[in-house]
Amino acid sequence: MNTGELVELGQQLRVDSVRAAAAAGSGHPTSSMSAADLTAVLFARHLRYDFERPDHPGNDRFVLSKGHASPLMYAVYKATGAIDDEELLTFRKNGSRLEGHPTPRRLPWIETATGSLGQGLPVGVGIALAGKRLDHADYRVWVLCGDSELAEGSIWEAAEHAAYEHLDNLTLIVDVNRLGQRGPTRHGHDLDAYARRFQAFGWHTVETDGHDVDAVDRAYGEALSTRGQPTAILARTLKGKGVEAVQDREGLHGKPLPEAEEAIAELGGPRDLRIRVEAPSADGTPPAGHTGRPDLPRWDKGEEVATRNAFGEALTALGTARGDVVALDGEVGDSTRAEAFAKEHPERYFECYIAEQQMVAAAVGMAARGWTPYAATFAAFLTRAHDFIRMASVSGSGINLVGSHAGVAIGQDGPSQMGLEDLAMMRAVHGSTVLYPCDANQTARLVAAMADLDGIRYLRTSRGAGPVIYGPDEEFPVGGSKVLRSSGRDRLTLVAAGVTVPEALAAAQALEGEGIAVRVIDLYSVKPVDRETLRTAAEETGCLVTVEDHHPEGGLGDAVAEAFADGSPVPRLVRLAVRDMPGSASPEEQLRAAGIDAESIAAAGRLLVGEAIVS
Amino acid sequence: MNTGELVELGQQLRVDSVRAAAAAGSGHPTSSMSAADLTAVLFARHLRYDFERPDHPGNDRFVLSKGHASPLMYAVYKATGAIDDEELLTFRKNGSRLEGHPTPRRLPWIETATGSLGQGLPVGVGIALAGKRLDHADYRVWVLCGDSELAEGSIWEAAEHAAYEHLDNLTLIVDVNRLGQRGPTRHGHDLDAYARRFQAFGWHTVETDGHDVDAVDRAYGEALSTRGQPTAILARTLKGKGVEAVQDREGLHGKPLPEAEEAIAELGGPRDLRIRVEAPSADGTPPAGHTGRPDLPRWDKGEEVATRNAFGEALTALGTARGDVVALDGEVGDSTRAEAFAKEHPERYFECYIAEQQMVAAAVGMAARGWTPYAATFAAFLTRAHDFIRMASVSGSGINLVGSHAGVAIGQDGPSQMGLEDLAMMRAVHGSTVLYPCDANQTARLVAAMADLDGIRYLRTSRGAGPVIYGPDEEFPVGGSKVLRSSGRDRLTLVAAGVTVPEALAAAQALEGEGIAVRVIDLYSVKPVDRETLRTAAEETGCLVTVEDHHPEGGLGDAVAEAFADGSPVPRLVRLAVRDMPGSASPEEQLRAAGIDAESIAAAGRLLVGEAIVS
């Protein structure tokens, strides 16, 4: 397309954005109009993409970080012929693929769900990293951001990561329209302010008029020819560009244009220009597949092993068997034990430094390219990435998260380092799997099993060594549990997971000595939960006592309660959990103080079989 | 102190750090040793602080962002006489005030709990902002950071905030010891790399040798004399400085020194220098207290009002009555309705732009100075600040968080904007209060009530207008509930909150018409939960059906289940919640699709009283 055609295409994208929002009665046309020329030039002149083959390994990747500008996204899809005008006008309607914010769950050309600002660039960095270091392909990653979202710290985690990794296959286009949702941004049209920041972080920058299609074209060319560093294009634009009534005005964010017909006329009316997006020439390397069944590490019963160690060894073995497995860590690989993988498979290990949002985003980006990422840090610090995990589930992304140092059992370091909310956070993620192993062999099996699940999978590991309870050939289906003690005389059931399993076993042993038979269930699969086994235990023993190294809300106790939340008969339920704020103390003192050690469990058991009520 | 004494003091802080960690058998002496000279000079020459009066309004504020360097913190407390040597050696022991990571819950001189990296500077910005704009006091805020933690995006949210607000009362001291936990940082000893970044964000910077006490002293002096912008001092240091066996070596993070006695000898042995910290001269203005009972807005039954609107109006009224109330928002004040407060009380309103971590951190900083902050954004985006909320609870901080646009009821915008995990997140925070009003009068009362609670308080508001159900004089105690329908013939109980209350009432009305009497409870206080009323309903109706606009995990259903988790008799429990990933659709279509509208609730009710099992 020549200059005149590009200008026309920009206007067409505006018109179609206005039309889509008008048909929906909601949406963000003004945020689409500012970026229309930037998008027109990109799709018509620079993007290499095969819309017939969205999984083509050589496709460039486009991420709309400012996801609310979805009308623009869909308008450009229409211009490429990927969707038709009829579908464009289903925007935001019940059942439409064209959601208010784009998501790959609906449309095959979307790389990642956006709409929570500041996430597109971090995920784009993950895709670009995959291109450079895993796919070894020459696709480019183009990310379109708003200016408001540059206030998010996650943008600067991504900026640091991209420059450090010399991602010259990444171009960030910033639509500097100076207006956020409720008013002007901090820096308005001061492009230099943004350029200084990106330059300081090691980026090449280009400042341009975002409505001058030739200047934009030159900026993209400069980005393509820049080697050794990513490029940020800072484009001065006007929100609502092209329609006097809304252009560069406050108070018009997220609203259809007041007079859509007049606006369309002012923009020159509808057009039907078609973009012929150039297909990629070369294929990249798809992720190497399985080389066989993993040769998982094995431990003998009675050995003392920390589940974090088992995780590190198992992941390393899995990485040997599966070329698609990659690992990421937030500068604590010596603690999470991800460093074991790093030593064996350095080419598939990604040090993300202390930037948990970026770590999870990079995993999402790699998963989008077909890799199977495991991202590890302390369970407590995964809370830093909660919004990214939430959005990954909106994407339908398949990633593995591993949180070490769970609970008060870590001991002296104190509450800042203790994961005591992680089960609640991970259970509430849509479609998630939550696993909490108690021994090394179980950990190894679950590490391997989680690779093939859908959605967000979470494994919780422990710092201290614990006894190996299971033999190395035992199987642990996701959604299952293990009944570790059982008899026809059981008067209550202890439901434990992770570090509380050995405690529950010791408590049961003590109670047995007093003539009180107690069932013990290892509920290693916290979500999905093994309803069947829990119901049988409820029927047969009448009372379930959950014991967890976690706050009382959202964890094991709630998972067990949920197993009965369909109107079926409910047993008596008691939950032992961490109810007070811990301080520093030894692991043993911590478990005792929280009332989740063997002695506390046994005491609770005695009270309960005596029909006493614990309150 | 003169140069020689300062050098000696630095050595003393090292010796005491080594001794504390040796006595504990754990801890981070090498991370303390790098920052010992920086801390010695600060406390001996520049900090103005009255250890007898930690709440002195004129006190400078010191924040140890690298919280793992707690031995250094406690060593300097000993040097000031605030603690004695005996207490120093209780470090990390059960019951000691000297936790592995410092927290104000234990020690009155600590401003905020640290240990999750990248949080001290953001909170320090909040304190400095309070100093400038609320306290109008001339205290300074000094934050000591590690270099590793500069990878956290939250640091750059804080950097942006501080420079934009011209916080020249804030000095950041970066202990650039080049080594993180598992190895070298991205930038090693390249002080310029950090200086460029801070300068680009609008800071004054000073580069110095962090072991040259005179140079450090000059750097502090330069910070003190810098006007109009915050100062970052980038200090080149060596981890483990002063002990050859550990100095500048990898693999020694978070470990006591291998040969403590030899190390102490190498450092010149124990000393007993005393620092006379200068007390502040001037008092600041403490927060203005109550001026009376708030004149809360009132609505008539039957009006249609969104609870977010009621929040905005009630907060504004509260701000009129109470001079200590401040509001913060993440650039969505027109959506959360915090802008109502901004218009009435601009001097106590803080626009935090799209930086939710910084918004919560600023609130924590202001609360530390005695203010009562309300921080608002979309419920979904509060997940961005999860780790800050968690750490605020470790601090024992009292802050109010308000999440708008909860649930599928927002309609067309789709899942990225829907808070569907927020109740789970907030319930699992230690000591939190979780409130979810269903109408405008209830909202107003709860907005006022939450100001006086301890800990983290969360209010969930809704986007769309709903009917006013309660009169303006109704009272809503925290921990209570409202029985909206009840009879001796009730065959089940619907437990709802927020948007599902009108739906439950309509369902009950429909079922009544079919001869099925149903109780309806408005569980506006999700945590603490009204056990008494729920138990009575369970006894009298046998079956509780929870209905929530939230994922099934961690929300209303779990809160109700927890009310029976003490071994008391459990009713049949059924939970209606959002189980599938929503798309775009109208609010009504969304509630229907999720099975939480009146018709779906009525259908579930019919099934249940027919003894059918819903699965």
Side-chain angles (χ1 to χ4, degrees), chain B residues 240-330:
Chain B
K241 165 74 177 175
V243 176
E244 180 60 26
V246 298
Q247 182 175 300
D248 201 31
R249 290 179 199 259
E250 294 187 35
L252 293 162
H253 181 93
K255 293 172 185 165
L257 262 53
E259 304 290 345
E261 284 309 316
E262 284 175 27
I264 291 164
E266 187 177 342
L267 290 164
R271 294 156 177 85
D272 198 14
L273 289 159
R274 270 303 174 89
I275 310 175
R276 272 194 50 252
V277 177
E278 194 191 342
S281 49
D283 270 25
T285 315
H290 300 215
T291 58
R293 205 179 147 84
D295 187 14
L296 292 175
R298 300 163 69 88
W299 292 270
D300 293 329
K301 282 192 195 182
E303 281 188 74
E304 292 276 327
V305 184
T307 54
R308 60 173 170 149
N309 290 7
F311 155 69
E313 292 188 42
L315 186 64
T316 306
L318 190 68
T320 303
R322 294 179 56 148
D324 62 320
V325 167
V326 301
L328 308 92
D329 196 279

Side-chain angles (χ1 to χ4, degrees), chain A residues 92 100-101 115 152-154 157 160 181-182 187 331 334-335 356 384 386 413 417 428 551 567 572-573 584, chain B residues 92 100-101 115 117 152-153 157 160 181-182 187 331 334-335 356 386 413 417 428 551 567 572-573 584:
Chain A
R92 285 176 164 249
H101 296 78
E152 283 286 7
S154 56
E157 293 183 14
E160 184 77 53
Q181 171 176 323
R182 51 126 280 294
H187 302 296
E331 220 268 304
D334 52 336
S335 287
E356 295 81 7
R384 202 68 162 253
H386 190 169
D413 269 337
Q417 320 291 301
H551 288 158
R572 287 201 302 158
L573 293 170
S584 284
Chain B
R92 285 176 164 249
H101 296 78
L117 292 170
E152 284 285 7
E157 292 182 15
E160 184 77 53
Q181 171 176 322
R182 51 125 282 294
H187 303 295
E331 220 269 302
D334 52 338
S335 288
E356 295 80 7
H386 190 169
D413 268 338
Q417 319 291 301
H551 286 159
R572 287 202 301 157
L573 294 170
S584 284

Side-chain angles (χ1 to χ4, degrees), chain B residues 53-327:
Chain B
R53 284 185 62 197
D55 58 350
H56 190 305
N59 276 344
D60 281 357
R61 307 286 155 182
F62 176 75
V63 176
L64 183 70
S65 192
K66 49 178 289 184
H68 55 284
S70 56
L72 174 62
M73 185 87 252
Y74 305 142
V76 81
Y77 285 163
K78 181 194 140 183
T80 67
I83 66 169
D84 61 21
D85 195 64
E86 191 180 355
E87 184 167 13
L88 178 71
L89 300 181
T90 67
F91 177 51
R92 285 176 164 249
K93 293 205 171 69
N94 196 4
S96 172
R97 297 195 295 174
L98 311 188
E99 290 195 6
H101 296 78
T103 150
R105 278 176 34 261
R106 303 279 181 174
L107 289 171
W109 317 293
I110 304 283
E111 307 301 327
T112 189
T114 50
S116 179
L117 292 170
Q119 299 209 12
L121 180 63
V123 173
V125 169
I127 301 173
L129 208 46
K132 278 268 177 201
R133 285 188 46 192
L134 296 170
D135 295 335
H136 304 293
D138 75 343
Y139 59 78
R140 291 195 68 84
V141 181
W142 305 86
V143 177
L144 178 61
C145 266
D147 45 355
S148 274
E149 62 183 308
L150 300 186
E152 284 285 7
S154 55
I155 291 288
W156 303 102
E157 292 182 15
E160 184 77 53
H161 200 186
Y164 185 73
E165 298 277 357
H166 305 289
L167 299 181
D168 52 18
N169 56 343
L170 174 69
T171 304
L172 172 67
I173 307 156
V174 187
D175 174 27
V176 186
N177 67 22
R178 94 170 178 88
L179 290 173
Q181 171 176 322
R182 51 125 282 294
T185 59
R186 279 194 179 110
H187 303 295
H189 270 136
D190 182 1
L191 301 185
D192 287 349
Y194 298 116
R196 277 195 302 274
R197 286 161 172 75
F198 279 103
Q199 284 165 16
F201 276 75
W203 288 53
H204 180 65
T205 64
V206 186
E207 299 179 34
T208 187
D209 175 347
H211 300 309
D212 176 339
V213 293
D214 289 325
V216 169
D217 188 53
R218 286 193 299 274
Y220 292 157
E222 186 171 331
L224 286 168
S225 64
T226 299
R227 291 285 169 269
Q229 58 185 160
T231 296
I233 295 170
L234 303 154
R236 185 185 191 282
T237 63
L238 297 176
K239 202 160 176 169
K241 165 74 177 175
V243 176
E244 180 60 26
V246 298
Q247 182 175 300
D248 201 31
R249 290 179 199 259
E250 294 187 35
L252 293 162
H253 181 93
K255 293 172 185 165
L257 262 53
E259 304 290 345
E261 284 309 316
E262 284 175 27
I264 291 164
E266 187 177 342
L267 290 164
R271 294 156 177 85
D272 198 14
L273 289 159
R274 270 303 174 89
I275 310 175
R276 272 194 50 252
V277 177
E278 194 191 342
S281 49
D283 270 25
T285 315
H290 300 215
T291 58
R293 205 179 147 84
D295 187 14
L296 292 175
R298 300 163 69 88
W299 292 270
D300 293 329
K301 282 192 195 182
E303 281 188 74
E304 292 276 327
V305 184
T307 54
R308 60 173 170 149
N309 290 7
F311 155 69
E313 292 188 42
L315 186 64
T316 306
L318 190 68
T320 303
R322 294 179 56 148
D324 62 320
V325 167
V326 301

